Amino acid sequence: MDDEMLEDYLDRAVRIHFAPGMIGAGLSPYVDGKLYDYNPSGILLEERDGSLDYIPFSSIRLVQIRPKPGLWARLTGSA
């Protein structure tokens, strides 16, 4: 993985989808939060309450990065 691949996406809203082997019965297959930091072995995700979760890359299937709101959304606050 490129060392600086996620650098441009820090402090952005993301959804982390877990690998199928990491999902248990009754647990959500994904988690939402803000990309706080990362290193070669995993991601730090900031939850809504301000807590940090460390998620190793070995348990991640997909990282969805939400786009920044457009000009109209920022002006009207509809983002």
Side-chain angles (χ1 to χ4, degrees):
M1 186 170 118
D2 184 8
D3 289 342
E4 297 179 15
M5 183 176 170
L6 296 173
E7 191 70 30
D8 294 335
Y9 302 105
L10 292 176
D11 295 326
R12 294 272 295 273
V14 296
R15 175 173 280 180
I16 307 289
H17 293 266
F18 297 110
M22 299 295 155
I23 302 168
L27 298 176
S28 176
Y30 62 86
V31 64
D32 293 318
K34 186 171 29 168
L35 184 60
Y36 185 80
D37 202 3
Y38 68 96
N39 65 27
S41 61
I43 289 177
L44 271 176
L45 189 70
E46 184 177 351
E47 298 269 348
R48 289 185 185 142
D49 65 359
S51 63
L52 296 176
D53 290 340
Y54 175 76
I55 305 170
F57 284 123
S58 61
S59 65
I60 296 174
R61 179 177 59 108
L62 172 73
V63 177
Q64 284 182 310
I65 302 170
R66 298 204 179 102
K68 288 185 177 180
L71 177 63
W72 182 252
R74 289 191 309 256
L75 289 174
T76 62
S78 62

